[in-house]
C-alpha cells in the first residue's frame, strides 16, 4: 500500500474524524499506525485481513443464525483491523465520568426500591419509574448484598461534532460484547504484530479476573471461595460464545437453568460428585425468565425458587433484577440531576443534550427549534413515536408540535447527533474510508471498588453514511487502544 | 463437574469416534468395489454401507441402488441424524457446551474439524471427493485424539471423553464385524468362494487400519488366529473387541477412584470384559449370536454409565 491509497482518504464534512485533524494532517496518536499500514501493500493487507477472519472462525468466535435442521450458518462479527486510539488524558476523564455515573445510578435504583426520596423530592417524576415494564415490585424493600444493583454496566458514548464525548445510553441489565474486546486484542496481537511497535497500551485481558473478583466480593455467604457460576440460556443464544468465553476465562461453571435446583431456599447445581451449593450467579437471562414460580410460568431457562432464595439472602444475582427501568431513554435525561442529587457533583460526562418538555424553558426551546431536533415520547419503547423533524413532512412536525403543547410531560427532545468517523477498511472496494463509530464502555462495581475496562468496544457502522452501529444492522468492531 | 457437562463430553467422545469409524467403513467399502474379484457387484457393496451406517434409503423397484444418493446420505446429509455431518455437528455442539472443561487446543481442533465437514462441497463429495473427505476425517480425528490425550489432565473429564470413545469403538467394531460376517454368508450362499471371502477379510482389516499389522502378525506366528478371532480376541490389537472392553473397564475403575464409588458399574464392565477375555473361539457356536448378545450387553453398559454419572 502506498501513500496515495491513504491520501485518497476523504474526510466527511461536518463530522469529527478520529484519525485526521484535517485533510492530510494525522493525529499524533495515529502516526505509527498509518506508517505500519503504509508499509504493507494492499495485497498483503488483504491477506492479513483474510487470515484474521479465519482466526475468528477457527476459534469459534461466531454467532449462529439458526435455520432449519442443523444448517446453522455461522457468522463472525465483522472486525476492522485499524485500531481506534484514545489518549490517556481523555480516557482518565471518561473513566471518572463512568464511575461517577454508575455510582449515582446505583444509588438511584436502591433509593427507588427503598426510601424513594428522589421521587418524594420530585427530582424524577414518579410515573417515569412506575410506568416502566422493567420495574419489579418484588424488589421493593430489598437490599442486595453489598448494596449493589448494577454490578456490570455498559455505557455507550459518542463523539459529537463539537469534539466532546456524550453519553448516548446506559445498559444496566445484561450488557454484552465484552468478549469481543478481549478477543479483538488477542487476535490483533497474533496477526498484526508490527502495528504494536513502540506502543504501550492499557491491558484488557484482566477483565475476567476483575469480573470474578467483583463476583466474589458480593457473595452473600462469607467464605474464602464462594461458588460462582454463569447462567446462560444455552448454546442457541446468539451471545453464547461470550457466556462460554467468560466462564472459561474465570474458571467457573457455565450452567443452564436445568443444572440448578433449590431446596430450602438454597440454590444447588447438579454435579457428578453430588449437589454443590451456589453463592453467586452471573445470569445472562432476562429478569422475567429467572424464576418460573414468580414470573413467566413456562420459562425453562430459569430456576424454580431462585427468587425466594435471593430475597432470603442466600444467593447473589448479578445484575440485580429490576434495573431495567433505569436504562430507559427517558430516565437517561435525568441522570445529570440524579448525579447532582446523590453525589452533589456536576456530571463529568454530559448526556446527549435532552430537553424535557415538562420544563418551561426547555419547552420553549423545543417549540422554537423543532426542525433541529429529534422528538421522543418519554414512555417510548422500540423507537415508536420518534419524530426526526428534519426528515418528515411539515404536517407531521406541526401535528407533533400540537401534541407537545397539549401534553408537554409526555415528550423529550434531543438534537441530531453527529457521530465521529474513523478510518475503516472497506473490503469490497479495497479502500480506506471514514465510517461512523461509537464506544461501549464496561464498568464492574464490586463491594469496595469500581473497575472500568480501559477503552471498551468501538462499534463501527460499516454501511456508508450510516449512523447505526448495531451488529444487527451491519455494524462491526475495532480493537480500542488506550495509550499509557 | 456438572452432570450435564459430563454427559456432553462423554457423548462428544462417542460422536467423534462414530464419525471416524463410519467414514472409514464407507471409504474402504466403496473403493473395494473397484478392486474386487468379479462377482462382487456394486449393489452388494452399497447395501453393506446402508446396513452399517443405518441411513434411510428407499429402494426403487427394478433400479440399482443410487450410489451418489447413498454416499451423500452417509456423509453430508444435513437433515439426517445418521450422517457423518450430524455426528461431527453433535460432537462440536457438545464441545461448545463444555468449553470450560476442555483445553483451548482441543476446542480449536474440534471446531476446525466441524468447519471442514460443514464447508465440504456436496457436489464434489459425491462425484470425486469421497476419498479426500474420508482421509481428512481420519486425520482430524487423529489430531483431536492427540489433543485429548496431551492437553487435558488425565482426570475426570478426560476419563469421560475416553470412556465415550472406547465404548463407541467397541460398539462399532462389533457392528462392523457382524456386518461383514453377514456379507460373507451372503456371498457363500451359492457355495464357498475362497477368493471372495478372503477379499472380504482384507476389506474388514482395512476398515480397522489393520491390514498391514495382520499380515505381519501371521508371518511371525505359525499358529496365528483367524482374522475374525484376531478382531475379537487379540489382547494388544487396539481395535480388537477385548482390548477396548479392557479400556472401558480400566477407565470405569479409575473414575470410581476420583468420584467415590460406582461399584455396580465396575462390576458390570468387569463382567463383560472378562466374559470375552476368558471365552475361547472353540466355545463360540454361532459368531452372530455371540456378537449380538455382546452388543446388547455393551448397550447396557451405556445405560449404567448414564445412571451412574449423568442422571
Amino acid at each position: 500500500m502506498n501513500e496515495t491509497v491513504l491520501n485518497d482518504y476523504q474526510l466527511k464534512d461536518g463530522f469529527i474524524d478520529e484519525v485526521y485533524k484535517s485533510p492530510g494532517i494525522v493525529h499524533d496518536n495515529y502516526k505509527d499506525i498509518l506508517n505500519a499500514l503504509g508499509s504493507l501493500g494492499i495485497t498483503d493487507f488483504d491477506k492479513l485481513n483474510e487470515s484474521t477472519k479465519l482466526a475468528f472462525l477457527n476459534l469459534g468466535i461466531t454467532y449462529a443464525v439458526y435455520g432449519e435442521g442443523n444448517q446453522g450458518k455461522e457468522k463472525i462479527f465483522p472486525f476492522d483491523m485499524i485500531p481506534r486510539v484514545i489518549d490517556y488524558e481523555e480516557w482518565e476523564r471518561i473513566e471518572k465520568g463512568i464511575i461517577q455515573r454508575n455510582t449515582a445510578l446505583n444509588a438511584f435504583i436502591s433509593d427507588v426500591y427503598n426510601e424513594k426520596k428522589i421521587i418524594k423530592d420530585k427530582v424524577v417524576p414518579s410515573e417515569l419509574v412506575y410506568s416502566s415494564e422493567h420495574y419489579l415490585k418484588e424488589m421493593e424493600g430489598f437490599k442486595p448484598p453489598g448494596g449493589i444493583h448494577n454490578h456490570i454496566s455498559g455505557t455507550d458514548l459518542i463523539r459529537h461534532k463539537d469534539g466532546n464525548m456524550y453519553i448516548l445510553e446506559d445498559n444496566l441489565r445484561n450488557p454484552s460484547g465484552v468478549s469481543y474486546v478481549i478477543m479483538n486484542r488477542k487476535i490483533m496481537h497474533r496477526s498484526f504484530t508490527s502495528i504494536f511497535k513502540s506502543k504501550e497500551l492499557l491491558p484488557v485481558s484482566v477483565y475476567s479476573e476483575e469480573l470474578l473478583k467483583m463476583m466474589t466480593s458480593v457473595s452473600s455467604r462469607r467464605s474464602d471461595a464462594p461458588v460462582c457460576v454463569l447462567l446462560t440460556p444455552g448454546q442457541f443464544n446468539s451471545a453464547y460464545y461470550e457466556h462460554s468465553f467468560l466462564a472459561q476465562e474465570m474458571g467457573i461453571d457455565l450452567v443452564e437453568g436445568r443444572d440448578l435446583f433449590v431446596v430450602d431456599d438454597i440454590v444447588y447445581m447438579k454435579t457428578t460428585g453430588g449437589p454443590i451449593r451456589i453463592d453467586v450467579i452471573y445470569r445472562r437471562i432476562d429478569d422475567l425468565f429467572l424464576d418460573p414460580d414468580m414470573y413467566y410460568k413456562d420459562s425453562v431457562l430459569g430456576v424454580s425458587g431462585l427468587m425466594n432464595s435471593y430475597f432470603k439472602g442466600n444467593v447473589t444475582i448479578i445484575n440485580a433484577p429490576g434495573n431495567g427501568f433505569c436504562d430507559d431513554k427517558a430516565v437517561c435525561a435525568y441522570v445529570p440531576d440524579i448525579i447532582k442529587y446523590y453525589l452533589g457533583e456536576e456530571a463529568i460526562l454530559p448526556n446527549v443534550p435532552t430537553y424535557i418538555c415538562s420544563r418551561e424553558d426547555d419547552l420553549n426551546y423545543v417549540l422554537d427549534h423543532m426542525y433541529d431536533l429529534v422528538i421522543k415520547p418519554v414512555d417510548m419503547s422500540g423507537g415508536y413515536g420518534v419524530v426526526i423533524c428534519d426528515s418528515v413532512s411539515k404536517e407531521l412536525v406541526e401535528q407533533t408540535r400540537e401534541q407537545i403543547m397539549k401534553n408537554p410531560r409526555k415528550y423529550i427532545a434531543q438534537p441530531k447527533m453527529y457521530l465521529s468517523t474513523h478510518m475503516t477498511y472497506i473490503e469490497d472496494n479495497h479502500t480506506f474510508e471514514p465510517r461512523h463509530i461509537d464506544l461501549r464502555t464496561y464498568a464492574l462495581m464490586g463491594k469496595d471498588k469500581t473497575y472500568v475496562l480501559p477503552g471498551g468496544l468501538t462499534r463501527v457502522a460499516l454501511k456508508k453514511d450510516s449512523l447505526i452501529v448495531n451488529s444487527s444492522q451491519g455494524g462491526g468492531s475495532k480493537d480500542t487502544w488506550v495509550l499509557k | 463437574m456438572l452432570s450435564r457437562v459430563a454427559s456432553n463430553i462423554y457423548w462428544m467422545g462417542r460422536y467423534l469416534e462414530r464419525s471416524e469409524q463410519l467414514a472409514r467403513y464407507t471409504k474402504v467399502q466403496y473403493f473395494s468395489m473397484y478392486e474386487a474379484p468379479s462377482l462382487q457387484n456394486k449393489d452388494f457393496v452399497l447395501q453393506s454401507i446402508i446396513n452399517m451406517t443405518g441411513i434411510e434409503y428407499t429402494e426403487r423397484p427394478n433400479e440399482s441402488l443410487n450410489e451418489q444418493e447413498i454416499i451423500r446420505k452417509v456423509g453430508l446429509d444435513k437433515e439426517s441424524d445418521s450422517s457423518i455431518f450430524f455426528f461431527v455437528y453433535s460432537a462440536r455442539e457438545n464441545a461448545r457446551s463444555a468449553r470450560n472443561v476442555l483445553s483451548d487446543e482441543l476446542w480449536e481442533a474440534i471446531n476446525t474439524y466441524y468447519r471442514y465437514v460443514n464447508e465440504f462441497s456436496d457436489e464434489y463429495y459425491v462425484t470425486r471427493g469421497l476419498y479426500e473427505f474420508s482421509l481428512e476425517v481420519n486425520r482430524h480425528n487423529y489430531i483431536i485424539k492427540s489433543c485429548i490425550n496431551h492437553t487435558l489432565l488425565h482426570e475426570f473429564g478426560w476419563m469421560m471423553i475416553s470412556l465415550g470413545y472406547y465404548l463407541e469403538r467397541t460398539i462399532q467394531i462389533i457392528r462392523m464385524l457382524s456386518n461383514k460376517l453377514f456379507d460373507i454368508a451372503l456371498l457363500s450362499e451359492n457355495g464357498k468362494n475362497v477368493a471372495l471371502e478372503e477379499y472380504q477379510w482384507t476389506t474388514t482389516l482395512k476398515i480397522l487400519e489393520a491390514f498391514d499389522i495382520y499380515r505381519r502378525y501371521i508371518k511371525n506366528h505359525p499358529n496365528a488366529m483367524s482374522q475374525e478371532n484376531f478382531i475379537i480376541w487379540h489382547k494388544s490389537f487396539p481395535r480388537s473387541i477385548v482390548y477396548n472392553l479392557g479400556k472401558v473397564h480400566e477407565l470405569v475403575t479409575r473414575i470410581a477412584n476420583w468420584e467415590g464409588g460406582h461399584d455396580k458399574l465396575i462390576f458390570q464392565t468387569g463382567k463383560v470384559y472378562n466374559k470375552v477375555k476368558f471365552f475361547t473361539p472353540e466355545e463360540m457356536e454361532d459368531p452372530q449370536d455371540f456378537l449380538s448378545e455382546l452388543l446388547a450387553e455393551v448397550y447396557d453398559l451405556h445405560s449404567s454409565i448414564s445412571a451412574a454419572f449423568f442422571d
Side-chain angles (χ1 to χ4, degrees):
Chain A
M1 187 178 321
N2 50 40
E3 284 287 312
T4 49
V5 177
L6 292 174
N7 288 349
D8 282 346
Y9 188 74
Q10 295 287 330
L11 294 180
K12 220 180 137 180
D13 262 358
F15 295 85
I16 295 268
D17 190 80
E18 302 280 344
V19 181
Y20 283 90
K21 281 185 211 165
S22 54
I25 312 292
V26 178
H27 277 288
D28 286 350
N29 286 337
Y30 280 92
K31 279 185 178 151
D32 288 350
I33 294 172
L34 292 202
N35 282 341
L37 282 175
S39 68
L40 293 172
I42 202 85
T43 329
D44 289 340
F45 189 82
D46 265 337
K47 243 190 234 164
L48 206 58
N49 197 37
E50 285 305 313
S51 76
T52 307
K53 279 201 268 184
L54 192 65
F56 276 96
L57 283 169
N58 281 340
L59 287 166
I61 311 172
T62 52
Y63 60 93
V65 188
Y66 284 93
E68 285 168 26
N70 305 318
Q71 277 171 305
K73 274 235 173 356
E74 288 183 26
K75 290 192 165 169
I76 58 172
F77 184 29
F79 172 69
D80 185 70
M81 301 261 296
I82 308 158
R84 186 253 188 98
V85 183
I86 300 174
D87 67 43
Y88 190 71
E89 217 176 295
E90 176 162 44
W91 174 251
E92 268 189 314
R93 209 178 130 260
I94 295 174
E95 189 180 34
K96 274 195 199 123
I98 299 283
I99 295 176
Q100 178 200 49
R101 189 176 180 93
N102 289 314
T103 308
L105 287 174
N106 191 59
F108 174 57
I109 300 170
S110 179
D111 184 21
V112 162
Y113 281 124
N114 290 278
E115 297 83 6
K116 306 181 192 298
K117 282 189 295 201
I118 199 165
I119 292 170
K120 288 174 194 153
D121 290 341
K122 298 197 168 17
V123 177
V124 174
S126 64
E127 65 270 22
L128 210 59
V129 170
Y130 300 128
S131 65
S132 167
E133 60 182 54
H134 300 297
Y135 181 85
L136 291 187
K137 240 182 139 27
E138 294 79 9
M139 285 295 288
E140 286 177 359
F142 179 70
K143 291 209 163 146
I148 298 164
H149 291 264
N150 54 331
H151 308 85
I152 305 171
S153 315
T155 314
D156 294 348
L157 296 114
I158 57 151
R159 193 190 302 283
H160 189 42
K161 62 179 173 184
D162 61 5
N164 293 322
M165 290 287 220
Y166 290 88
I167 306 273
L168 198 61
E169 62 178 63
D170 301 289
N171 297 277
L172 305 178
R173 279 169 278 170
N174 262 322
S176 66
V178 73
S179 57
Y180 292 104
V181 178
I182 299 160
M183 289 315 291
N184 285 355
R185 177 69 52 83
K186 248 187 210 169
I187 287 183
M188 277 292 275
H189 267 300
R190 256 194 207 186
S191 57
F192 205 171
T193 324
S194 64
I195 207 167
F196 287 95
K197 209 168 46 187
S198 78
K199 294 281 181 209
E200 269 205 84
L201 312 182
L202 295 187
V204 293
S205 58
V206 291
Y207 178 82
S208 36
E209 214 174 287
E210 293 290 342
L211 178 57
L212 187 59
K213 262 192 236 163
M214 179 277 283
M215 287 174 72
T216 310
S217 81
V218 292
S219 167
S220 52
R221 196 161 49 137
R222 255 184 286 167
S223 144
D224 289 341
V227 178
C228 305
V229 295
L230 198 155
L231 174 60
T232 174
Q235 58 204 108
F236 297 105
N237 185 274
S238 61
Y240 181 77
Y241 168 74
E242 177 155 302
H243 309 161
S244 103
F245 172 84
L246 290 173
Q248 190 194 9
E249 287 269 303
M250 289 189 280
I252 64 174
D253 280 307
L254 178 63
V255 301
E256 294 179 17
R258 56 188 159 140
D259 298 323
L260 305 182
F261 63 96
V262 177
V263 176
D264 295 336
D265 295 322
I266 300 205
V267 185
Y268 298 91
M269 62 177 163
K270 295 175 209 162
T271 79
T272 50
I276 292 180
R277 180 176 170 171
I278 309 273
D279 299 305
V280 183
I281 301 176
Y282 172 18
R283 48 73 182 237
R284 293 290 296 254
I285 62 178
D286 292 342
D287 290 355
L288 298 183
F289 290 92
L290 279 173
D291 183 347
D293 289 355
M294 197 160 281
Y295 304 115
Y296 291 160
K297 301 275 173 278
D298 47 359
S299 165
V300 289
L301 305 177
V303 187
S304 193
L306 175 60
M307 290 307 286
N308 269 336
S309 172
Y310 179 59
F311 290 135
K312 288 247 163 84
N314 292 335
V315 70
T316 305
I317 297 178
I318 288 172
N319 285 345
N323 289 357
F325 76 89
C326 186
D327 58 20
D328 197 292
K329 272 215 167 103
V331 172
C332 185
Y334 289 87
V335 175
D337 297 333
I338 289 170
I339 293 174
K340 202 178 249 170
Y341 185 82
Y342 293 108
L343 307 178
E345 298 168 6
E346 292 298 323
I348 297 169
L349 293 170
N351 268 6
V352 166
T354 302
Y355 304 98
I356 299 167
C357 298
S358 59
R359 296 172 175 165
E360 208 184 318
D361 289 355
D362 286 8
L363 177 65
N364 290 335
Y365 180 89
V366 170
L367 296 175
D368 288 348
H369 297 86
M370 290 286 283
Y371 286 94
D372 302 330
L373 296 171
V374 179
I375 313 287
K376 300 174 178 178
V378 286
D379 58 353
M380 70 143 191
S381 69
Y384 291 108
V386 176
V387 181
I388 303 171
C389 293
D390 74 349
S391 52
V392 297
S393 71
K394 214 172 166 182
E395 251 183 306
L396 183 56
V397 176
E398 291 314 313
Q399 251 175 14
T400 311
R401 186 195 299 277
E402 271 172 41
Q403 295 286 336
I404 298 175
M405 278 159 53
K406 227 189 269 168
N407 197 351
R409 290 169 66 211
K410 272 192 78 178
Y411 293 92
I412 59 155
Q414 292 173 331
K416 225 172 133 176
M417 293 310 280
Y418 291 73
L419 277 65
S420 62
T421 59
H422 195 291
M423 182 186 272
T424 302
Y425 185 61
I426 305 303
E427 286 175 12
D428 292 346
N429 310 342
H430 304 282
T431 52
F432 295 89
E433 297 176 22
R435 289 293 185 267
H436 295 289
I437 58 168
D438 82 344
L439 179 69
R440 168 166 291 184
T441 60
Y442 298 88
L444 301 173
M445 196 183 292
K447 207 170 177 185
D448 307 307
K449 94 173 215 201
T450 297
Y451 165 83
V452 185
L453 176 67
L457 187 67
T458 293
R459 298 186 295 180
V460 50
L462 294 172
K463 260 188 249 159
K464 194 171 183 196
D465 294 331
S466 168
L467 291 166
I468 300 167
V469 295
N470 299 54
S471 60
S472 55
Q473 314 250 3
S477 74
K478 286 170 168 290
D479 188 12
T480 308
W481 295 2
V482 178
L483 298 178
K484 248 185 196 169
Chain B
M1 185 179 295
L2 283 172
S3 309
R4 175 178 54 85
V5 168
S7 167
N8 287 358
I9 58 176
Y10 163 82
W11 273 105
M12 178 189 97
R14 289 198 59 172
Y15 282 129
L16 285 169
E17 182 64 22
R18 198 178 296 177
S19 72
E20 180 190 329
Q21 295 298 336
L22 292 184
R24 213 164 38 231
Y25 188 91
T26 307
K27 181 193 81 174
V28 175
Q29 270 299 100
Y30 180 84
F31 289 99
S32 76
M33 281 192 310
Y34 299 103
E35 296 164 3
S38 52
L39 266 178
Q40 174 161 331
N41 69 34
K42 208 163 117 180
D43 276 14
F44 175 82
V45 170
L46 292 173
Q47 189 59 52
S48 171
I49 292 176
I50 295 174
N51 296 345
M52 180 66 191
T53 55
I55 56 167
E56 276 176 42
Y57 181 85
T58 325
E59 274 183 61
R60 303 172 196 57
N62 307 323
E63 263 182 51
S64 351
L65 299 178
N66 183 327
E67 181 184 321
Q68 292 199 351
E69 188 185 337
I70 291 168
I71 295 300
R72 199 186 71 79
K73 284 194 165 177
V74 173
L76 296 177
D77 190 346
K78 296 196 171 170
E79 265 75 56
S80 143
D81 56 7
S82 43
S83 66
I84 291 168
F85 171 83
F86 175 79
F87 303 140
V88 180
Y89 168 83
S90 306
R92 192 255 199 167
E93 284 303 296
N94 280 314
R96 220 155 71 83
S97 75
R99 286 215 33 205
N100 55 333
V101 303
L102 307 180
S103 62
D104 282 349
E105 292 78 6
L106 176 55
W107 159 251
E108 208 174 328
I110 294 172
N111 191 47
T112 309
Y113 178 30
Y114 166 72
R115 292 196 49 241
Y116 175 81
V117 172
N118 189 39
E119 281 160 29
F120 205 85
S121 145
D122 246 32
E123 199 200 327
Y124 176 59
Y125 172 74
V126 296
T127 50
R128 303 182 308 284
L130 176 65
Y131 191 82
E132 177 187 326
F133 177 80
S134 314
L135 218 58
E136 283 299 307
V137 164
N138 221 17
R139 203 175 63 88
H140 278 290
N141 272 293
Y142 276 122
I143 294 170
I144 290 166
K145 274 171 198 157
S146 177
C147 286
I148 290 170
N149 285 323
H150 301 298
T151 70
L152 297 178
L153 287 181
H154 286 205
E155 292 179 358
F156 188 71
W158 172 84
M159 290 174 199
M160 277 294 134
I161 302 170
S162 307
L163 191 57
Y165 75 69
Y166 281 116
L167 194 86
E168 182 70 26
R169 186 178 291 180
T170 312
I171 290 170
Q172 294 307 335
I173 297 168
I174 297 172
R175 291 188 62 241
M176 193 274 303
L177 186 58
S178 157
N179 209 36
K180 294 312 284 182
L181 288 170
F182 177 80
D183 284 354
I184 292 169
L186 214 61
L187 289 169
S188 309
E189 261 179 0
N190 306 319
K192 207 171 164 70
N193 181 325
V194 177
L196 216 50
E197 195 175 307
E198 204 49 42
Y199 187 69
Q200 282 301 317
W201 284 116
T202 301
T203 315
T204 308
L205 288 168
K206 280 186 176 166
I207 290 166
L208 296 174
E209 295 186 303
F211 182 64
D212 290 342
I213 299 176
Y214 184 74
R215 207 159 47 180
R216 232 164 289 147
Y217 161 78
I218 45 171
K219 227 185 237 168
N220 300 328
H221 295 80
N223 299 316
M225 299 181 203
S226 69
Q227 295 96 329
E228 177 184 325
N229 294 343
F230 182 78
I231 293 167
I232 300 175
W233 281 293
H234 198 292
K235 64 181 192 311
S236 47
F237 169 41
R239 287 207 177 96
S240 75
I241 293 171
V242 79
Y243 179 92
N244 287 287
L245 281 173
K247 283 287 179 191
V248 168
H249 179 55
E250 187 190 317
L251 282 163
V252 166
T253 312
R254 281 176 70 182
I255 289 167
N257 287 339
W258 286 100
E259 298 290 322
H262 297 288
D263 293 345
K264 248 176 83 182
L265 182 64
I266 299 173
F267 179 78
Q268 200 182 346
T269 54
K271 198 169 163 186
V272 178
Y273 168 52
N274 283 301
K275 192 177 137 187
V276 177
K277 190 177 164 190
F278 295 117
F279 204 72
T280 60
E282 294 72 33
E283 291 171 275
M284 186 166 68
E285 284 172 11
D286 181 349
Q288 287 290 22
D289 286 350
F290 173 79
L291 291 173
S292 66
E293 203 177 292
L294 184 58
L295 189 59
E297 282 168 342
V298 177
Y299 283 140
D300 282 346
L301 289 184
H302 164 74
S303 310
S304 302
I305 289 168
S306 296
F309 299 115
F310 315 140
D311 293 347

